[in-house]
Amino acid sequence: TSFVPDEYWQSLEVAHRMVFKYPSGYSYPLIFASIYKALQLLAKDDVHLLIWVPRLAQAVLAAFADVKLYSLVQHLENAETAKCVYFCQLCSWFTWYSCTRTLTNTMETLLTIFALSYYPIKGSKMGSSCKYLALIALAIVIRPTAVIPWIPLVFSHFLQEQRKADLILHNYIPVGLVTVGTSLIIDRVFFGEWVLVQLNFLKFNVLQNLGTFYGSHPWHWYFTQGLPVILGTHLPFFIHGCVLAPKRYRIFLMAVIWTVLVYSTLSHKEFRFIYPVLPFCMVFCGYSLKHLKAWKKSAASFLLLSNLLPALYTGLIHQRGSLDVMSHIQQLCNSSYQSQAFVFIMMPCHSTPFYSHVHCPLKMRFLQCPPDLTGNESYIDEADVFYSNPLGWLNKEFYNDTLLPSHLIFFSVLEQEISSFLALRGYERTATVFHTHVPQGRVGSHIYVYRKKTDINRT
């Protein structure tokens, strides 16, 4: 199923363009570009492999991270507590929903777990300042917000460290220089100029707060909706675990609260932004489950069943149309009609993947929605202009029949409004794809594929 556009547009689409040259920062997409390049060199760059191999790679990393979390708790506590934390982690519906997605938030979360396994918390025999700092630095290169949950943890480590000068000279400075230098070189190669992507990210999302262009929420949203939703039925266990857990784990709780507070100051809010705090929460959930004793089996059954249904529904059914419709577009690649085909996706911008899920030089277009970087208060993007008057926009844009797309793809809610255009220009519906049971605004329950009747005999 589809979650958010960034799953493809901050990773796979960039990687596909890097390798296959079909018409953010490059450090994270470079991972997937390497996979694509390997498939290309092996002459195995089939579109299905291009879709599934990155997900499988992400899944393997997620599984490895889960094992690392188990190993950490086993060293800090005992095997029983580790099993409970591991069980809670595996039961989390939001982890199932997000852990195999090619989002920078997912990689940020996985690297956070890896770093946590080397964090020198009291009682840990696996602590390594260099390793955990290097992993944090890598996470920050991929997504600069990764620094947020680590601020209290790094600060606490610094205060407890007796050899502070050595920590700065032998760890902070070398790790910082290597990671920033590597990031600069990678982006210099692909951008063609020196760019500090992390600084641009900070300017865009924090200083200029341009994220509000994609929606805004009240300050308390993460406390009243964000965290409770991603925790789901783990929430009472998390609260119970916070009360029971030893004092040394308070720094984990502080990291959770601090992260949620910082993100609460930004207007644009999404569930995935606080995904990296979920592993911290699972430590407390596992601690709670372990101490329930006689109720442990009943509680474990409740967690499993209550998370299984939302995990299956969101992972297999909800918002699947954005991906399913791509198979209809892929069919054009195997047709002699490919060179004449023109697919226009009339949906909220980036609703679907693009060339990473088609993998042929098919002419395609979608409604654009770049944020305004000039400070123009009257700026309206192409998608908003379109939705303000879809029929008028289409008649103006395609004033000549020679300009008409061969295929139109849009959500069902739009059909009635543009029905006269479809009838007059000779389009007929050729496919109906289910998308969601909870349509909202511009997003309909189904996606329709329309094709010009005059093109039928050629396909």
Side-chain angles (χ1 to χ4, degrees):
T1 58
S2 175
F3 182 14
V4 290
D6 281 0
E7 183 177 349
Y8 317 103
W9 289 90
Q10 67 181 197
S11 54
L12 299 185
E13 291 303 330
V14 182
H16 193 273
R17 187 170 183 175
M18 289 165 69
V19 174
F20 300 107
K21 312 299 181 187
Y22 291 178
S24 83
Y26 284 98
S27 299
Y28 182 54
L30 191 59
I31 298 170
F32 302 105
S34 301
I35 294 173
Y36 285 168
K37 193 65 182 178
L39 290 172
Q40 184 189 44
L41 293 173
L42 293 169
K44 298 292 184 182
D45 54 317
D46 175 76
V47 64
H48 299 292
L49 287 177
L50 295 183
I51 292 170
W52 283 102
V53 172
R55 294 184 191 178
L56 290 171
Q58 201 80 53
V60 169
L61 282 173
F64 187 38
D66 289 343
V67 173
K68 274 288 186 183
L69 185 62
Y70 172 86
S71 180
L72 169 67
V73 180
Q74 185 181 33
H75 278 83
L76 290 174
E77 295 291 332
N78 49 58
E80 186 183 0
T81 306
K83 287 177 183 176
C84 289
V85 171
Y86 190 57
F87 178 80
C88 288
Q89 172 75 352
L90 293 184
C91 277
S92 170
W93 79 271
F94 195 77
T95 296
W96 274 97
Y97 185 51
S98 305
C99 70
T100 61
R101 298 185 183 276
T102 51
L103 287 161
T104 53
N105 308 91
T106 297
M107 188 60 78
E108 176 188 355
T109 303
L110 301 183
L111 288 172
T112 292
I113 296 176
F114 293 141
L116 198 59
S117 66
Y118 295 110
Y119 180 72
I121 191 172
K122 186 178 179 182
S124 172
K125 297 177 182 178
M126 300 165 62
S128 169
S129 298
C130 186
K131 287 181 181 179
Y132 99 84
L133 288 170
L135 287 163
I136 296 171
L138 179 58
I140 293 169
V141 166
I142 290 172
R143 189 172 180 86
T145 51
V147 71
I148 296 172
W150 283 99
I151 288 175
L153 289 157
V154 172
F155 186 65
S156 173
H157 172 216
F158 182 75
L159 291 179
Q160 293 174 15
E161 181 63 50
Q162 294 181 341
R163 297 177 298 177
K164 292 180 173 56
D166 286 347
L167 184 64
I168 294 171
L169 293 173
H170 298 153
N171 292 288
Y172 289 175
I173 293 176
V175 168
L177 289 175
V178 169
T179 50
V180 171
T182 304
S183 176
L184 280 169
I185 292 169
I186 290 172
D187 291 324
R188 174 69 175 83
V189 170
F190 291 103
F191 279 119
E193 59 182 333
W194 293 106
V195 178
L196 186 58
V197 171
Q198 292 72 31
L199 181 59
N200 290 343
F201 185 97
L202 179 67
K203 286 180 180 177
F204 184 93
N205 291 286
V206 180
L207 302 180
Q208 295 175 304
N209 200 20
L210 292 174
T212 55
F213 182 79
Y214 300 105
S216 59
H217 300 79
W219 70 268
H220 56 76
W221 188 84
Y222 282 120
F223 290 100
T224 57
Q225 294 182 57
L227 193 60
V229 166
I230 70 168
L231 278 171
T233 52
H234 284 74
L235 183 59
F237 296 89
F238 170 64
I239 296 171
H240 182 230
C242 290
V243 176
L244 289 179
K247 289 183 178 179
R248 62 176 170 174
Y249 294 124
R250 285 179 182 173
I251 189 63
F252 291 172
L253 179 59
M254 190 179 296
V256 173
I257 296 171
W258 163 259
T259 301
V260 175
L261 282 172
V262 171
Y263 275 116
S264 295
T265 64
L266 302 176
S267 298
H268 181 58
K269 299 175 175 67
E270 294 186 37
F271 293 112
R272 62 190 174 101
F273 291 169
I274 56 170
Y275 179 28
V277 305
L278 208 52
F280 295 99
C281 296
M282 290 304 137
V283 173
F284 295 102
C285 293
Y287 213 86
S288 167
L289 186 63
K290 186 235 178 185
H291 284 80
L292 288 178
K293 296 179 181 178
W295 291 91
K296 187 191 293 185
K297 287 187 178 180
S298 299
S301 299
F302 167 73
L303 276 176
L304 179 61
L305 293 175
S306 61
N307 280 273
L308 184 62
L309 290 177
L312 290 174
Y313 178 76
T314 56
L316 299 176
I317 300 171
H318 179 60
Q319 294 186 169
R320 63 174 296 150
S322 294
L323 298 177
D324 288 347
V325 77
M326 300 310 291
S327 63
H328 291 274
I329 300 176
Q330 288 167 17
Q331 291 172 11
L332 294 172
C333 294
N334 302 319
S335 167
S336 58
Y337 174 61
Q338 178 191 315
S339 59
Q340 288 83 38
F342 172 20
V343 178
F344 185 23
I345 302 172
M346 300 190 302
M347 299 159 75
C349 64
H350 299 140
S351 291
T352 65
F354 214 45
Y355 284 111
S356 68
H357 283 56
V358 175
H359 194 51
C360 76
L362 188 69
K363 184 180 180 182
M364 296 197 294
R365 177 185 171 187
F366 61 90
L367 295 170
Q368 300 286 332
C369 62
D372 175 56
L373 303 177
T374 64
N376 180 8
E377 294 182 1
S378 61
Y379 170 77
I380 304 176
D381 65 51
E382 183 182 48
D384 283 338
V385 172
F386 169 80
Y387 279 103
S388 66
N389 182 12
L391 187 60
W393 189 94
L394 286 170
N395 286 324
K396 183 180 178 181
E397 187 75 10
F398 303 112
Y399 59 88
N400 189 316
D401 281 0
T402 60
L403 302 173
L404 287 170
S406 61
H407 293 73
L408 298 176
I409 297 174
F410 52 87
F411 281 117
S412 50
V413 291
L414 190 62
E415 184 182 46
Q416 188 173 357
E417 197 166 353
I418 63 170
S419 58
S420 60
F421 174 86
L422 297 172
L424 185 64
R425 301 305 175 98
Y427 285 97
E428 69 171 359
R429 193 197 304 174
T430 57
T432 299
V433 180
F434 171 77
H435 183 64
T436 178
H437 289 112
V438 283
Q440 291 181 322
R442 299 172 180 177
V443 178
S445 60
H446 291 77
I447 296 173
Y448 292 156
V449 178
Y450 270 78
R451 178 175 59 180
K452 275 184 65 62
K453 292 179 184 178
T454 54
D455 297 322
I456 292 175
N457 295 329
R458 301 183 198 171
T459 52

